[in-house]
PDB file of all heavy atoms in Angstrom:
ATOM      1  N   GLY A   3      91.726  85.605 111.689  1.00  0.00           N
ATOM      2  CA  GLY A   3      90.620  85.957 110.818  1.00  0.00           C
ATOM      3  C   GLY A   3      91.051  86.206 109.386  1.00  0.00           C
ATOM      4  O   GLY A   3      90.220  86.404 108.521  1.00  0.00           O
ATOM      5  N   GLY A   4      92.369  86.220 109.138  1.00  0.00           N
ATOM      6  CA  GLY A   4      92.860  86.507 107.808  1.00  0.00           C
ATOM      7  C   GLY A   4      92.854  85.272 106.927  1.00  0.00           C
ATOM      8  O   GLY A   4      92.709  84.147 107.382  1.00  0.00           O
ATOM      9  N   ALA A   5      93.025  85.490 105.640  1.00  0.00           N
ATOM     10  CA  ALA A   5      93.086  84.399 104.672  1.00  0.00           C
ATOM     11  C   ALA A   5      94.463  84.403 104.036  1.00  0.00           C
ATOM     12  O   ALA A   5      95.296  85.254 104.335  1.00  0.00           O
ATOM     13  CB  ALA A   5      91.995  84.575 103.616  1.00  0.00           C
ATOM     14  N   GLN A   6      94.709  83.469 103.166  1.00  0.00           N
ATOM     15  CA  GLN A   6      96.010  83.377 102.498  1.00  0.00           C
ATOM     16  C   GLN A   6      95.816  83.157 101.014  1.00  0.00           C
ATOM     17  O   GLN A   6      95.013  82.327 100.593  1.00  0.00           O
ATOM     18  CB  GLN A   6      96.815  82.232 103.110  1.00  0.00           C
ATOM     19  CG  GLN A   6      98.209  82.072 102.523  1.00  0.00           C
ATOM     20  CD  GLN A   6      99.067  81.135 103.343  1.00  0.00           C
ATOM     21  OE1 GLN A   6      99.531  81.482 104.422  1.00  0.00           O
ATOM     22  NE2 GLN A   6      99.265  79.932 102.833  1.00  0.00           N
ATOM     23  N   LEU A   7      96.551  83.930 100.214  1.00  0.00           N
ATOM     24  CA  LEU A   7      96.575  83.733  98.777  1.00  0.00           C
ATOM     25  C   LEU A   7      97.842  82.957  98.439  1.00  0.00           C
ATOM     26  O   LEU A   7      98.924  83.313  98.891  1.00  0.00           O
ATOM     27  CB  LEU A   7      96.596  85.070  98.033  1.00  0.00           C
ATOM     28  CG  LEU A   7      95.444  86.050  98.271  1.00  0.00           C
ATOM     29  CD1 LEU A   7      95.647  87.295  97.421  1.00  0.00           C
ATOM     30  CD2 LEU A   7      94.108  85.404  97.978  1.00  0.00           C
ATOM     31  N   THR A   8      97.708  81.919  97.650  1.00  0.00           N
ATOM     32  CA  THR A   8      98.870  81.134  97.243  1.00  0.00           C
ATOM     33  C   THR A   8      98.810  80.938  95.735  1.00  0.00           C
ATOM     34  O   THR A   8      97.822  80.424  95.205  1.00  0.00           O
ATOM     35  CB  THR A   8      98.890  79.765  97.933  1.00  0.00           C
ATOM     36  OG1 THR A   8      98.930  79.946  99.350  1.00  0.00           O
ATOM     37  CG2 THR A   8     100.117  78.979  97.498  1.00  0.00           C
ATOM     38  N   GLY A   9      99.847  81.375  95.056  1.00  0.00           N
ATOM     39  CA  GLY A   9      99.921  81.229  93.611  1.00  0.00           C
ATOM     40  C   GLY A   9     101.248  80.643  93.208  1.00  0.00           C
ATOM     41  O   GLY A   9     102.088  80.329  94.052  1.00  0.00           O
ATOM     42  N   ALA A  10     101.458  80.495  91.916  1.00  0.00           N
ATOM     43  CA  ALA A  10     102.707  79.945  91.410  1.00  0.00           C
ATOM     44  C   ALA A  10     103.836  80.927  91.694  1.00  0.00           C
ATOM     45  O   ALA A  10     103.935  81.974  91.064  1.00  0.00           O
ATOM     46  CB  ALA A  10     102.597  79.682  89.914  1.00  0.00           C
ATOM     47  N   GLY A  11     104.653  80.620  92.687  1.00  0.00           N
ATOM     48  CA  GLY A  11     105.806  81.450  93.002  1.00  0.00           C
ATOM     49  C   GLY A  11     105.635  82.407  94.161  1.00  0.00           C
ATOM     50  O   GLY A  11     106.594  83.070  94.555  1.00  0.00           O
ATOM     51  N   PHE A  12     104.427  82.515  94.744  1.00  0.00           N
ATOM     52  CA  PHE A  12     104.251  83.464  95.853  1.00  0.00           C
ATOM     53  C   PHE A  12     103.197  82.980  96.841  1.00  0.00           C
ATOM     54  O   PHE A  12     102.324  82.167  96.527  1.00  0.00           O
ATOM     55  CB  PHE A  12     103.841  84.832  95.336  1.00  0.00           C
ATOM     56  CG  PHE A  12     102.392  84.913  94.912  1.00  0.00           C
ATOM     57  CD1 PHE A  12     101.412  85.332  95.796  1.00  0.00           C
ATOM     58  CD2 PHE A  12     102.010  84.556  93.625  1.00  0.00           C
ATOM     59  CE1 PHE A  12     100.078  85.395  95.416  1.00  0.00           C
ATOM     60  CE2 PHE A  12     100.680  84.620  93.234  1.00  0.00           C
ATOM     61  CZ  PHE A  12      99.701  85.038  94.128  1.00  0.00           C
ATOM     62  N   THR A  13     103.290  83.519  98.059  1.00  0.00           N
ATOM     63  CA  THR A  13     102.280  83.319  99.091  1.00  0.00           C
ATOM     64  C   THR A  13     102.077  84.648  99.784  1.00  0.00           C
ATOM     65  O   THR A  13     103.036  85.363 100.071  1.00  0.00           O
ATOM     66  CB  THR A  13     102.720  82.263 100.124  1.00  0.00           C
ATOM     67  OG1 THR A  13     102.921  81.016  99.460  1.00  0.00           O
ATOM     68  CG2 THR A  13     101.653  82.086 101.202  1.00  0.00           C
ATOM     69  N   LEU A  14     100.827  84.993 100.078  1.00  0.00           N
ATOM     70  CA  LEU A  14     100.519  86.255 100.733  1.00  0.00           C
ATOM     71  C   LEU A  14      99.459  86.039 101.798  1.00  0.00           C
ATOM     72  O   LEU A  14      98.348  85.605 101.502  1.00  0.00           O
ATOM     73  CB  LEU A  14     100.017  87.286  99.710  1.00  0.00           C
ATOM     74  CG  LEU A  14      99.564  88.632 100.269  1.00  0.00           C
ATOM     75  CD1 LEU A  14     100.736  89.358 100.934  1.00  0.00           C
ATOM     76  CD2 LEU A  14      98.962  89.496  99.163  1.00  0.00           C
ATOM     77  N   GLY A  15      99.813  86.328 103.047  1.00  0.00           N
ATOM     78  CA  GLY A  15      98.852  86.270 104.138  1.00  0.00           C
ATOM     79  C   GLY A  15      98.105  87.589 104.229  1.00  0.00           C
ATOM     80  O   GLY A  15      98.721  88.649 104.297  1.00  0.00           O
ATOM     81  N   LEU A  16      96.789  87.552 104.214  1.00  0.00           N
ATOM     82  CA  LEU A  16      95.973  88.767 104.246  1.00  0.00           C
ATOM     83  C   LEU A  16      95.652  89.179 105.682  1.00  0.00           C
ATOM     84  O   LEU A  16      95.417  88.320 106.538  1.00  0.00           O
ATOM     85  CB  LEU A  16      94.667  88.541 103.491  1.00  0.00           C
ATOM     86  CG  LEU A  16      94.784  88.158 102.020  1.00  0.00           C
ATOM     87  CD1 LEU A  16      93.396  87.850 101.455  1.00  0.00           C
ATOM     88  CD2 LEU A  16      95.443  89.276 101.229  1.00  0.00           C
ATOM     89  N   PRO A  17      95.598  90.483 105.943  1.00  0.00           N
ATOM     90  CA  PRO A  17      95.176  90.944 107.267  1.00  0.00           C
ATOM     91  C   PRO A  17      93.720  90.563 107.528  1.00  0.00           C
ATOM     92  O   PRO A  17      92.960  90.292 106.591  1.00  0.00           O
ATOM     93  CB  PRO A  17      95.323  92.474 107.173  1.00  0.00           C
ATOM     94  CG  PRO A  17      96.275  92.699 106.039  1.00  0.00           C
ATOM     95  CD  PRO A  17      95.985  91.592 105.062  1.00  0.00           C
ATOM     96  N   ALA A  18      93.328  90.551 108.779  1.00  0.00           N
ATOM     97  CA  ALA A  18      91.943  90.261 109.115  1.00  0.00           C
ATOM     98  C   ALA A  18      91.031  91.265 108.418  1.00  0.00           C
ATOM     99  O   ALA A  18      91.344  92.446 108.310  1.00  0.00           O
ATOM    100  CB  ALA A  18      91.743  90.344 110.634  1.00  0.00           C
ATOM    101  N   GLY A  19      89.911  90.787 107.925  1.00  0.00           N
ATOM    102  CA  GLY A  19      88.962  91.667 107.248  1.00  0.00           C
ATOM    103  C   GLY A  19      89.109  91.664 105.740  1.00  0.00           C
ATOM    104  O   GLY A  19      88.248  92.198 105.038  1.00  0.00           O
ATOM    105  N   TRP A  20      90.197  91.080 105.245  1.00  0.00           N
ATOM    106  CA  TRP A  20      90.394  90.980 103.802  1.00  0.00           C
ATOM    107  C   TRP A  20      89.955  89.597 103.329  1.00  0.00           C
ATOM    108  O   TRP A  20      90.113  88.603 104.041  1.00  0.00           O
ATOM    109  CB  TRP A  20      91.862  91.202 103.437  1.00  0.00           C
ATOM    110  CG  TRP A  20      92.290  92.631 103.496  1.00  0.00           C
ATOM    111  CD1 TRP A  20      92.429  93.395 104.621  1.00  0.00           C
ATOM    112  CD2 TRP A  20      92.643  93.462 102.392  1.00  0.00           C
ATOM    113  NE1 TRP A  20      92.840  94.656 104.286  1.00  0.00           N
ATOM    114  CE2 TRP A  20      92.979  94.733 102.920  1.00  0.00           C
ATOM    115  CE3 TRP A  20      92.711  93.267 101.012  1.00  0.00           C
ATOM    116  CZ2 TRP A  20      93.377  95.785 102.115  1.00  0.00           C
ATOM    117  CZ3 TRP A  20      93.107  94.311 100.208  1.00  0.00           C
ATOM    118  CH2 TRP A  20      93.438  95.567 100.754  1.00  0.00           C
ATOM    119  N   ALA A  21      89.444  89.530 102.110  1.00  0.00           N
ATOM    120  CA  ALA A  21      89.008  88.252 101.558  1.00  0.00           C
ATOM    121  C   ALA A  21      89.356  88.188 100.070  1.00  0.00           C
ATOM    122  O   ALA A  21      89.332  89.198  99.366  1.00  0.00           O
ATOM    123  CB  ALA A  21      87.497  88.074 101.740  1.00  0.00           C
ATOM    124  N   ALA A  22      89.676  87.000  99.613  1.00  0.00           N
ATOM    125  CA  ALA A  22      89.985  86.795  98.202  1.00  0.00           C
ATOM    126  C   ALA A  22      88.735  86.999  97.354  1.00  0.00           C
ATOM    127  O   ALA A  22      87.622  86.637  97.762  1.00  0.00           O
ATOM    128  CB  ALA A  22      90.537  85.393  97.987  1.00  0.00           C
ATOM    129  N   VAL A  23      88.907  87.588  96.189  1.00  0.00           N
ATOM    130  CA  VAL A  23      87.818  87.760  95.223  1.00  0.00           C
ATOM    131  C   VAL A  23      88.358  87.453  93.831  1.00  0.00           C
ATOM    132  O   VAL A  23      89.569  87.409  93.620  1.00  0.00           O
ATOM    133  CB  VAL A  23      87.235  89.192  95.241  1.00  0.00           C
ATOM    134  CG1 VAL A  23      86.571  89.497  96.573  1.00  0.00           C
ATOM    135  CG2 VAL A  23      88.323  90.228  94.924  1.00  0.00           C
ATOM    136  N   ASP A  24      87.453  87.257  92.901  1.00  0.00           N
ATOM    137  CA  ASP A  24      87.836  87.024  91.510  1.00  0.00           C
ATOM    138  C   ASP A  24      87.057  88.007  90.635  1.00  0.00           C
ATOM    139  O   ASP A  24      85.901  87.749  90.284  1.00  0.00           O
ATOM    140  CB  ASP A  24      87.522  85.588  91.090  1.00  0.00           C
ATOM    141  CG  ASP A  24      87.967  85.283  89.666  1.00  0.00           C
ATOM    142  OD1 ASP A  24      88.364  86.218  88.945  1.00  0.00           O
ATOM    143  OD2 ASP A  24      87.900  84.090  89.282  1.00  0.00           O
ATOM    144  N   PRO A  25      87.664  89.148  90.293  1.00  0.00           N
ATOM    145  CA  PRO A  25      86.943  90.160  89.514  1.00  0.00           C
ATOM    146  C   PRO A  25      86.617  89.726  88.094  1.00  0.00           C
ATOM    147  O   PRO A  25      85.854  90.403  87.408  1.00  0.00           O
ATOM    148  CB  PRO A  25      87.900  91.357  89.529  1.00  0.00           C
ATOM    149  CG  PRO A  25      89.247  90.760  89.753  1.00  0.00           C
ATOM    150  CD  PRO A  25      89.021  89.584  90.661  1.00  0.00           C
ATOM    151  N   THR A  26      87.164  88.593  87.635  1.00  0.00           N
ATOM    152  CA  THR A  26      86.798  88.101  86.311  1.00  0.00           C
ATOM    153  C   THR A  26      85.483  87.346  86.340  1.00  0.00           C
ATOM    154  O   THR A  26      84.897  87.067  85.285  1.00  0.00           O
ATOM    155  CB  THR A  26      87.890  87.166  85.733  1.00  0.00           C
ATOM    156  OG1 THR A  26      87.923  85.938  86.469  1.00  0.00           O
ATOM    157  CG2 THR A  26      89.247  87.832  85.772  1.00  0.00           C
ATOM    158  N   ARG A  27      84.998  87.024  87.565  1.00  0.00           N
ATOM    159  CA  ARG A  27      83.753  86.274  87.709  1.00  0.00           C
ATOM    160  C   ARG A  27      82.735  86.991  88.594  1.00  0.00           C
ATOM    161  O   ARG A  27      81.528  86.848  88.389  1.00  0.00           O
ATOM    162  CB  ARG A  27      84.040  84.879  88.287  1.00  0.00           C
ATOM    163  CG  ARG A  27      84.927  84.013  87.413  1.00  0.00           C
ATOM    164  CD  ARG A  27      85.251  82.695  88.089  1.00  0.00           C
ATOM    165  NE  ARG A  27      84.060  81.914  88.354  1.00  0.00           N
ATOM    166  CZ  ARG A  27      83.500  81.067  87.479  1.00  0.00           C
ATOM    167  NH1 ARG A  27      84.051  80.905  86.280  1.00  0.00           N
ATOM    168  NH2 ARG A  27      82.423  80.394  87.793  1.00  0.00           N
ATOM    169  N   ASP A  28      83.214  87.726  89.584  1.00  0.00           N
ATOM    170  CA  ASP A  28      82.332  88.423  90.526  1.00  0.00           C
ATOM    171  C   ASP A  28      81.810  89.702  89.873  1.00  0.00           C
ATOM    172  O   ASP A  28      82.585  90.605  89.558  1.00  0.00           O
ATOM    173  CB  ASP A  28      83.109  88.757  91.800  1.00  0.00           C
ATOM    174  CG  ASP A  28      82.220  89.244  92.935  1.00  0.00           C
ATOM    175  OD1 ASP A  28      81.193  89.892  92.640  1.00  0.00           O
ATOM    176  OD2 ASP A  28      82.570  88.991  94.100  1.00  0.00           O
ATOM    177  N   THR A  29      80.511  89.789  89.687  1.00  0.00           N
ATOM    178  CA  THR A  29      79.919  90.942  89.007  1.00  0.00           C
ATOM    179  C   THR A  29      79.289  91.947  89.972  1.00  0.00           C
ATOM    180  O   THR A  29      78.582  92.853  89.544  1.00  0.00           O
ATOM    181  CB  THR A  29      78.840  90.481  88.003  1.00  0.00           C
ATOM    182  OG1 THR A  29      77.817  89.749  88.709  1.00  0.00           O
ATOM    183  CG2 THR A  29      79.449  89.587  86.932  1.00  0.00           C
ATOM    184  N   SER A  30      79.540  91.813  91.264  1.00  0.00           N
ATOM    185  CA  SER A  30      78.966  92.740  92.238  1.00  0.00           C
ATOM    186  C   SER A  30      79.509  94.147  92.013  1.00  0.00           C
ATOM    187  O   SER A  30      80.620  94.336  91.507  1.00  0.00           O
ATOM    188  CB  SER A  30      79.296  92.288  93.663  1.00  0.00           C
ATOM    189  OG  SER A  30      80.689  92.382  93.912  1.00  0.00           O
ATOM    190  N   ASP A  31      78.717  95.147  92.403  1.00  0.00           N
ATOM    191  CA  ASP A  31      79.131  96.541  92.233  1.00  0.00           C
ATOM    192  C   ASP A  31      80.425  96.835  92.983  1.00  0.00           C
ATOM    193  O   ASP A  31      81.280  97.589  92.500  1.00  0.00           O
ATOM    194  CB  ASP A  31      78.032  97.487  92.716  1.00  0.00           C
ATOM    195  CG  ASP A  31      76.861  97.568  91.752  1.00  0.00           C
ATOM    196  OD1 ASP A  31      76.995  97.079  90.612  1.00  0.00           O
ATOM    197  OD2 ASP A  31      75.812  98.124  92.137  1.00  0.00           O
ATOM    198  N   LEU A  32      80.577  96.259  94.183  1.00  0.00           N
ATOM    199  CA  LEU A  32      81.756  96.549  94.986  1.00  0.00           C
ATOM    200  C   LEU A  32      83.030  96.028  94.329  1.00  0.00           C
ATOM    201  O   LEU A  32      84.031  96.744  94.249  1.00  0.00           O
ATOM    202  CB  LEU A  32      81.615  95.958  96.387  1.00  0.00           C
ATOM    203  CG  LEU A  32      82.780  96.254  97.349  1.00  0.00           C
ATOM    204  CD1 LEU A  32      82.978  97.756  97.505  1.00  0.00           C
ATOM    205  CD2 LEU A  32      82.533  95.594  98.703  1.00  0.00           C
ATOM    206  N   VAL A  33      83.007  94.808  93.862  1.00  0.00           N
ATOM    207  CA  VAL A  33      84.196  94.242  93.215  1.00  0.00           C
ATOM    208  C   VAL A  33      84.473  94.946  91.891  1.00  0.00           C
ATOM    209  O   VAL A  33      85.609  95.334  91.599  1.00  0.00           O
ATOM    210  CB  VAL A  33      84.033  92.719  93.000  1.00  0.00           C
ATOM    211  CG1 VAL A  33      85.175  92.181  92.138  1.00  0.00           C
ATOM    212  CG2 VAL A  33      84.008  92.007  94.344  1.00  0.00           C
ATOM    213  N   ALA A  34      83.431  95.153  91.087  1.00  0.00           N
ATOM    214  CA  ALA A  34      83.618  95.831  89.803  1.00  0.00           C
ATOM    215  C   ALA A  34      84.108  97.258  89.996  1.00  0.00           C
ATOM    216  O   ALA A  34      84.996  97.733  89.278  1.00  0.00           O
ATOM    217  CB  ALA A  34      82.306  95.829  89.018  1.00  0.00           C
ATOM    218  N   GLY A  35      83.551  97.955  90.979  1.00  0.00           N
ATOM    219  CA  GLY A  35      83.986  99.324  91.243  1.00  0.00           C
ATOM    220  C   GLY A  35      85.398  99.399  91.787  1.00  0.00           C
ATOM    221  O   GLY A  35      86.169 100.296  91.434  1.00  0.00           O
ATOM    222  N   SER A  36      85.764  98.457  92.625  1.00  0.00           N
ATOM    223  CA  SER A  36      87.108  98.457  93.223  1.00  0.00           C
ATOM    224  C   SER A  36      88.196  98.241  92.182  1.00  0.00           C
ATOM    225  O   SER A  36      89.289  98.805  92.278  1.00  0.00           O
ATOM    226  CB  SER A  36      87.199  97.373  94.303  1.00  0.00           C
ATOM    227  OG  SER A  36      86.301  97.637  95.359  1.00  0.00           O
ATOM    228  N   PHE A  37      87.900  97.433  91.168  1.00  0.00           N
ATOM    229  CA  PHE A  37      88.910  97.128  90.154  1.00  0.00           C
ATOM    230  C   PHE A  37      88.688  97.878  88.842  1.00  0.00           C
ATOM    231  O   PHE A  37      89.317  97.580  87.828  1.00  0.00           O
ATOM    232  CB  PHE A  37      88.974  95.618  89.918  1.00  0.00           C
ATOM    233  CG  PHE A  37      89.526  94.862  91.098  1.00  0.00           C
ATOM    234  CD1 PHE A  37      88.673  94.297  92.035  1.00  0.00           C
ATOM    235  CD2 PHE A  37      90.894  94.770  91.298  1.00  0.00           C
ATOM    236  CE1 PHE A  37      89.171  93.630  93.146  1.00  0.00           C
ATOM    237  CE2 PHE A  37      91.411  94.109  92.407  1.00  0.00           C
ATOM    238  CZ  PHE A  37      90.546  93.532  93.336  1.00  0.00           C
ATOM    239  N   GLY A  38      87.801  98.872  88.861  1.00  0.00           N
ATOM    240  CA  GLY A  38      87.645  99.769  87.722  1.00  0.00           C
ATOM    241  C   GLY A  38      86.954  99.199  86.509  1.00  0.00           C
ATOM    242  O   GLY A  38      87.097  99.730  85.411  1.00  0.00           O
ATOM    243  N   ILE A  39      86.189  98.116  86.689  1.00  0.00           N
ATOM    244  CA  ILE A  39      85.565  97.482  85.530  1.00  0.00           C
ATOM    245  C   ILE A  39      84.050  97.656  85.522  1.00  0.00           C
ATOM    246  O   ILE A  39      83.351  97.014  84.733  1.00  0.00           O
ATOM    247  CB  ILE A  39      85.914  95.987  85.461  1.00  0.00           C
ATOM    248  CG1 ILE A  39      85.496  95.252  86.739  1.00  0.00           C
ATOM    249  CG2 ILE A  39      87.407  95.807  85.212  1.00  0.00           C
ATOM    250  CD1 ILE A  39      85.691  93.750  86.667  1.00  0.00           C
ATOM    251  N   LYS A  40      83.544  98.523  86.382  1.00  0.00           N
ATOM    252  CA  LYS A  40      82.101  98.725  86.438  1.00  0.00           C
ATOM    253  C   LYS A  40      81.616  99.529  85.240  1.00  0.00           C
ATOM    254  O   LYS A  40      80.589  99.229  84.639  1.00  0.00           O
ATOM    255  CB  LYS A  40      81.730  99.429  87.746  1.00  0.00           C
ATOM    256  CG  LYS A  40      80.242  99.633  87.937  1.00  0.00           C
ATOM    257  CD  LYS A  40      79.951 100.276  89.287  1.00  0.00           C
ATOM    258  CE  LYS A  40      78.459 100.481  89.496  1.00  0.00           C
ATOM    259  NZ  LYS A  40      78.165 101.120  90.805  1.00  0.00           N
ATOM    260  N   GLU A  41      82.349 100.576  84.898  1.00  0.00           N
ATOM    261  CA  GLU A  41      81.967 101.432  83.783  1.00  0.00           C
ATOM    262  C   GLU A  41      83.162 102.293  83.396  1.00  0.00           C
ATOM    263  O   GLU A  41      84.216 102.228  84.027  1.00  0.00           O
ATOM    264  CB  GLU A  41      80.788 102.329  84.186  1.00  0.00           C
ATOM    265  CG  GLU A  41      81.053 103.168  85.417  1.00  0.00           C
ATOM    266  CD  GLU A  41      79.819 103.867  85.925  1.00  0.00           C
ATOM    267  OE1 GLU A  41      78.702 103.512  85.509  1.00  0.00           O
ATOM    268  OE2 GLU A  41      79.978 104.788  86.749  1.00  0.00           O
ATOM    269  N   GLY A  42      83.006 103.101  82.364  1.00  0.00           N
ATOM    270  CA  GLY A  42      84.084 103.989  81.956  1.00  0.00           C
ATOM    271  C   GLY A  42      84.761 103.528  80.684  1.00  0.00           C
ATOM    272  O   GLY A  42      84.604 102.377  80.247  1.00  0.00           O
ATOM    273  N   PRO A  43      85.565 104.419  80.071  1.00  0.00           N
ATOM    274  CA  PRO A  43      86.186 104.132  78.774  1.00  0.00           C
ATOM    275  C   PRO A  43      87.199 103.000  78.804  1.00  0.00           C
ATOM    276  O   PRO A  43      87.484 102.391  77.773  1.00  0.00           O
ATOM    277  CB  PRO A  43      86.854 105.463  78.398  1.00  0.00           C
ATOM    278  CG  PRO A  43      87.101 106.135  79.725  1.00  0.00           C
ATOM    279  CD  PRO A  43      85.925 105.773  80.569  1.00  0.00           C
ATOM    280  N   ASN A  44      87.771 102.702  79.984  1.00  0.00           N
ATOM    281  CA  ASN A  44      88.794 101.658  80.064  1.00  0.00           C
ATOM    282  C   ASN A  44      88.263 100.334  80.590  1.00  0.00           C
ATOM    283  O   ASN A  44      89.031  99.382  80.742  1.00  0.00           O
ATOM    284  CB  ASN A  44      89.943 102.121  80.969  1.00  0.00           C
ATOM    285  CG  ASN A  44      90.695 103.290  80.389  1.00  0.00           C
ATOM    286  OD1 ASN A  44      91.002 103.303  79.203  1.00  0.00           O
ATOM    287  ND2 ASN A  44      90.974 104.292  81.200  1.00  0.00           N
TER     288      ASN A  44
END
């Protein structure tokens, strides 16, 4: 049930229940809140 992230120089197998996201494009409250970009001074 897991997914895999593959980038230049690394590979990472995710545990089941984890999914890749792109916080630079995903504007959902959950993604924005998880990565600290929903609100606040930073």
Side-chain angles (χ1 to χ4, degrees):
Q6 182 168 286
L7 301 181
T8 300
F12 76 93
T13 299
L14 176 63
L16 301 175
W20 284 69
V23 295
D24 183 351
T26 69
R27 298 176 61 87
D28 191 328
T29 59
S30 66
D31 285 348
L32 183 58
V33 171
S36 297
F37 292 95
I39 57 174
K40 183 177 180 181
E41 56 189 14
N44 294 316

